[in-house]
mmCIF file of all heavy atoms in Angstrom:
data_model
loop_
_atom_site.group_PDB
_atom_site.id
_atom_site.type_symbol
_atom_site.label_atom_id
_atom_site.label_comp_id
_atom_site.label_asym_id
_atom_site.label_seq_id
_atom_site.Cartn_x
_atom_site.Cartn_y
_atom_site.Cartn_z
ATOM 1 N N ALA A 72 7.718 40.263 30.706
ATOM 2 C CA ALA A 72 8.084 40.126 32.094
ATOM 3 C C ALA A 72 9.615 40.389 32.190
ATOM 4 O O ALA A 72 10.420 39.721 31.484
ATOM 5 C CB ALA A 72 7.633 38.816 32.588
ATOM 6 N N PHE A 80 20.096 41.529 48.137
ATOM 7 C CA PHE A 80 18.841 41.080 48.656
ATOM 8 C C PHE A 80 18.080 40.058 47.813
ATOM 9 O O PHE A 80 17.397 39.212 48.356
ATOM 10 C CB PHE A 80 17.891 42.362 48.865
ATOM 11 C CG PHE A 80 18.513 43.344 49.770
ATOM 12 C CD1 PHE A 80 18.956 44.565 49.245
ATOM 13 C CD2 PHE A 80 18.654 43.107 51.106
ATOM 14 C CE1 PHE A 80 19.556 45.523 50.084
ATOM 15 C CE2 PHE A 80 19.196 44.079 51.946
ATOM 16 C CZ PHE A 80 19.669 45.208 51.449
ATOM 17 N N GLU A 89 0.171 29.866 37.389
ATOM 18 C CA GLU A 89 -0.726 29.132 38.290
ATOM 19 C C GLU A 89 -0.627 27.645 38.039
ATOM 20 O O GLU A 89 -0.055 27.116 37.021
ATOM 21 C CB GLU A 89 -2.136 29.594 38.077
ATOM 22 C CG GLU A 89 -2.791 29.309 36.700
ATOM 23 C CD GLU A 89 -4.173 29.848 36.543
ATOM 24 O OE1 GLU A 89 -4.390 31.054 36.925
ATOM 25 O OE2 GLU A 89 -4.950 29.199 35.884
ATOM 26 N N TYR A 117 7.530 22.496 36.468
ATOM 27 C CA TYR A 117 7.617 21.993 37.804
ATOM 28 C C TYR A 117 6.437 21.041 38.022
ATOM 29 O O TYR A 117 5.340 21.516 38.152
ATOM 30 C CB TYR A 117 7.610 23.175 38.754
ATOM 31 C CG TYR A 117 8.219 22.957 40.100
ATOM 32 C CD1 TYR A 117 9.316 22.180 40.351
ATOM 33 C CD2 TYR A 117 7.594 23.580 41.186
ATOM 34 C CE1 TYR A 117 9.792 22.027 41.526
ATOM 35 C CE2 TYR A 117 8.121 23.461 42.483
ATOM 36 C CZ TYR A 117 9.261 22.658 42.655
ATOM 37 O OH TYR A 117 9.780 22.448 43.904
ATOM 38 N N ALA A 123 -3.582 20.536 43.057
ATOM 39 C CA ALA A 123 -3.481 21.793 43.645
ATOM 40 C C ALA A 123 -2.002 22.271 43.772
ATOM 41 O O ALA A 123 -1.694 23.297 44.300
ATOM 42 C CB ALA A 123 -4.069 21.890 45.032
ATOM 43 N N GLU A 131 12.025 20.012 36.298
ATOM 44 C CA GLU A 131 12.773 19.629 35.108
ATOM 45 C C GLU A 131 13.691 20.730 34.774
ATOM 46 O O GLU A 131 13.350 21.826 34.569
ATOM 47 C CB GLU A 131 11.778 19.422 34.008
ATOM 48 C CG GLU A 131 12.323 18.834 32.713
ATOM 49 C CD GLU A 131 12.016 17.430 32.552
ATOM 50 O OE1 GLU A 131 10.996 16.914 33.052
ATOM 51 O OE2 GLU A 131 12.865 16.781 31.934
ATOM 52 N N ARG A 165 19.100 33.886 37.961
ATOM 53 C CA ARG A 165 19.987 33.973 39.087
ATOM 54 C C ARG A 165 20.938 35.169 38.907
ATOM 55 O O ARG A 165 21.315 35.442 37.765
ATOM 56 C CB ARG A 165 20.840 32.682 39.161
ATOM 57 C CG ARG A 165 20.043 31.542 39.646
ATOM 58 C CD ARG A 165 20.980 30.268 39.793
ATOM 59 N NE ARG A 165 20.363 29.216 40.482
ATOM 60 C CZ ARG A 165 19.402 28.367 39.932
ATOM 61 N NH1 ARG A 165 19.065 28.509 38.646
ATOM 62 N NH2 ARG A 165 18.893 27.362 40.588
ATOM 63 N N GLY A 183 0.518 10.460 18.909
ATOM 64 C CA GLY A 183 0.199 9.798 17.650
ATOM 65 C C GLY A 183 0.081 10.754 16.463
ATOM 66 O O GLY A 183 -0.201 10.337 15.380
#
Side-chain angles (χ1 to χ4, degrees):
F80 303 108
E89 67 184 39
Y117 201 36
E131 185 100 29
R165 288 183 169 80

